[in-house]
Amino acid sequence: MKALKSIAAALTVCFLALPAWAEIKIKEVTSPGGITAWLVEDHSIPFAALELRFRGGTSLDQPGKRGATYLMAGLLEEGAGSLAAQDYARALESLAAGFSYDADKDTVSISAQFLSENRDQAIDLLRQTIHEPRFDQDALDRVRAQVVAGLRADAKDPNDIAGRVFSQMAFGDHPYGTEGNGTIDSVTALTRQDIFDAHDAVFARDQLYVGAVGDITEADLGALLDTLLGDLPAQGAAIPGPADVTIEGGVTVVDYDTPQSVALFGHAGIERDDPRYFAAYLLNQILGGGSFDSRLMSEVREKRGLTYGVYSYLVPRDLGAVYMGSVASANGKIAETVEVIQAEWAKLAADGVTEKELQDAKTYLTGAYPLRFDGNSRIASILAGMQMDDLPIDYVATRNDKVNAVTLEEINKVASEILLPDQLHFIVVGRPEGLQSTN
């Protein structure tokens, strides 16, 4: 136990000993077996973080099997190889290692952290997790019950209700049109074989992206990659085609007995690889990107006191992009809130931003960027994400230059192109006064 506490203390030190983002040097490593990864070496502490991303995510669910990928990801920590769930947890704890798993619409991700002295044992356990998951029936029933309980809670949450309605209206029958964690009926009907099928669809080398940070050399990482991932199938399941954004302008009211209405709003967005993306990113910061100085926050909260917070955000998913926002307001005020947001959306599209707004947004976004690099695990995640977005390996060093290069003329042209006030649709969940569905 004393040794375990010492290792845990060392891990804490590892998380606190953060590399300066400006010193990050990313190298591309290709294993002898041909697996590529991006690596940032940092031998100051005996610790490494590994991020594995598999493209496709919950969008790979087969028809009638919605929720299978999400449930499969939740079961990966419930035993592998000869280790049942409790034995697996004890083995992981004895190594003072950490594995976590997640699934979203585009990705299944595995995050691993381990001490250098336990690297081989930790990678062996992670290999079993990926290649020999047990998906025992008792574990499946237990985790399924947790997922179903979450779905029952989501069914009563106004934010989740709004999200589901928006997704269905925006993407229709595409997998983006329904939530990746499934429905109570679909999850209840999933069999153990469905979980194995979901596993086989996801874990393949053609869908793999790897980021590694910490105390590991290029040669050691190459050997690790082949040990851990070399036996994966060459190809996974086919990823669905692009999603058409079909939502039209207007208002949809979902009746729900609550004193405060919740609203999600949005329309078609901009792809991550669009050359206008940095201008759009700055534009959103000015409109509603989270700052208390944003136009929406100023007009809706500060001047009129209609809400505690209102936000807008770009959502450039792999298969379809939307531009969205969210707000909550008392039932008696939500109609005015919607009206103000519509007006600001239209005003910005027509008149653009000022030079001061643009410079303030640049100052904030370039200054905040280094804060993202707050630990080995975060950096490993960023490296994998950069590869999935097809960004260049020098992106970290050049990103702020790209932000600063956006001109007033460019951002105002983009404002007129991507802000579509006539297509802005509001999903309002509550009992709003003076507001009715238009569809």
Side-chain angles (χ1 to χ4, degrees), residues 325-364:
S326 62
V327 68
S329 186
N331 285 333
K333 297 182 177 178
I334 191 68
E336 182 182 359
T337 301
V338 168
E339 184 177 340
V340 173
I341 293 171
Q342 289 172 324
E344 287 304 309
W345 212 273
K347 180 180 178 183
L348 191 50
D351 301 335
V353 307
T354 67
E355 183 65 42
K356 183 179 186 307
E357 287 177 318
L358 175 59
Q359 293 306 318
D360 287 347
K362 288 180 177 179
T363 299
Y364 176 81

Side-chain angles (χ1 to χ4, degrees), residues 171-206:
F171 298 111
D173 293 334
H174 191 276
Y176 281 1
T178 55
E179 296 304 300
N181 52 356
T183 66
I184 292 175
D185 288 343
S186 70
V187 173
T188 300
L190 291 171
T191 67
R192 186 164 175 256
Q193 185 57 51
D194 293 332
I195 304 304
F196 278 109
D197 291 343
H199 174 274
D200 293 344
V202 168
F203 291 103
R205 292 173 56 171
D206 67 328

Side-chain angles (χ1 to χ4, degrees), residues 125-157:
L125 187 59
L126 185 57
R127 176 183 162 76
Q128 292 182 59
T129 306
I130 296 172
H131 292 270
E132 305 174 56
R134 293 169 63 98
F135 302 143
D136 291 332
Q137 189 64 48
D138 61 337
L140 169 58
D141 293 340
R142 182 175 63 257
V143 177
R144 187 210 314 266
Q146 294 168 355
V147 173
V148 169
L151 291 169
R152 293 190 195 283
D154 291 347
K156 300 176 182 177
D157 186 314

Side-chain angles (χ1 to χ4, degrees), residues 1 8 18 95 97 124 130 138 148 172 196 251 265 288-289 346 395:
M1 182 60 73
L18 310 178
L95 295 170
D124 181 63
I130 296 172
D138 61 337
V148 169
F196 278 109
V251 176
F265 48 94
Y395 177 78

Side-chain angles (χ1 to χ4, degrees), residues 97-418:
F99 301 159
S100 61
Y101 317 90
D102 196 11
D104 62 26
K105 294 178 185 294
D106 292 327
T107 311
V108 171
S109 60
I110 299 178
S111 305
Q113 304 87 38
F114 44 84
L115 295 171
S116 300
E117 65 186 83
N118 295 335
R119 181 193 303 156
D120 291 344
Q121 300 98 311
I123 292 303
D124 181 63
L125 187 59
L126 185 57
R127 176 183 162 76
Q128 292 182 59
T129 306
I130 296 172
H131 292 270
E132 305 174 56
R134 293 169 63 98
F135 302 143
D136 291 332
Q137 189 64 48
D138 61 337
L140 169 58
D141 293 340
R142 182 175 63 257
V143 177
R144 187 210 314 266
Q146 294 168 355
V147 173
V148 169
L151 291 169
R152 293 190 195 283
D154 291 347
K156 300 176 182 177
D157 186 314
N159 288 291
D160 285 296
I161 294 170
R164 287 194 296 276
V165 173
F166 187 91
S167 294
Q168 201 285 321
M169 294 185 71
F171 298 111
D173 293 334
H174 191 276
Y176 281 1
T178 55
E179 296 304 300
N181 52 356
T183 66
I184 292 175
D185 288 343
S186 70
V187 173
T188 300
L190 291 171
T191 67
R192 186 164 175 256
Q193 185 57 51
D194 293 332
I195 304 304
F196 278 109
D197 291 343
H199 174 274
D200 293 344
V202 168
F203 291 103
R205 292 173 56 171
D206 67 328
Q207 297 169 173
L208 171 65
Y209 302 84
V210 183
V213 178
D215 183 30
I216 187 167
T217 65
E218 294 181 54
D220 287 344
L221 178 59
L224 181 156
L225 293 172
D226 285 347
T227 299
L228 182 63
L229 305 163
D231 293 340
L232 285 176
Q235 291 185 315
I239 294 174
D244 295 327
V245 180
T246 56
I247 198 166
E248 298 177 346
V251 176
T252 297
V253 175
V254 180
D255 182 63
Y256 192 80
D257 188 9
T258 174
Q260 177 172 270
S261 291
V262 167
L264 282 183
F265 48 94
H267 54 49
I270 182 169
E271 306 289 345
R272 182 62 183 84
D273 61 356
D274 191 303
R276 304 172 297 169
Y277 185 80
F278 280 103
Y281 191 53
L282 282 158
L283 177 71
N284 179 63
Q285 178 63 24
I286 295 166
L287 175 60
S291 167
F292 277 94
D293 293 328
S294 74
R295 288 199 181 188
L296 291 181
M297 196 71 90
S298 175
E299 294 295 329
V300 180
R301 173 187 158 122
E302 300 302 324
K303 292 184 179 178
R304 296 174 176 82
L306 298 173
T307 184
Y308 287 109
V310 54
Y311 309 97
S312 63
Y313 35 90
L314 303 172
V315 188
R317 296 194 184 106
D318 285 356
L319 306 176
V322 286
Y323 192 174
M324 296 184 66
S326 62
V327 68
S329 186
N331 285 333
K333 297 182 177 178
I334 191 68
E336 182 182 359
T337 301
V338 168
E339 184 177 340
V340 173
I341 293 171
Q342 289 172 324
E344 287 304 309
W345 212 273
K347 180 180 178 183
L348 191 50
D351 301 335
V353 307
T354 67
E355 183 65 42
K356 183 179 186 307
E357 287 177 318
L358 175 59
Q359 293 306 318
D360 287 347
K362 288 180 177 179
T363 299
Y364 176 81
L365 292 178
T366 56
Y369 187 55
L371 301 180
R372 297 184 185 183
F373 299 81
D374 62 350
N376 288 355
S377 297
R378 283 291 303 274
I379 297 172
S381 177
I382 289 171
L383 298 185
M386 286 168 57
Q387 294 170 78
M388 292 195 71
D389 287 340
D390 199 25
L391 297 175
I393 201 166
D394 66 348
Y395 177 78
V396 172
T398 61
R399 180 264 195 191
N400 277 357
D401 292 339
K402 297 179 190 300
V403 171
N404 284 324
V406 175
T407 67
L408 186 64
E409 180 181 7
E410 288 172 338
I411 192 172
N412 286 337
K413 183 174 186 293
V414 167
S416 69
E417 293 171 347
I418 72 166

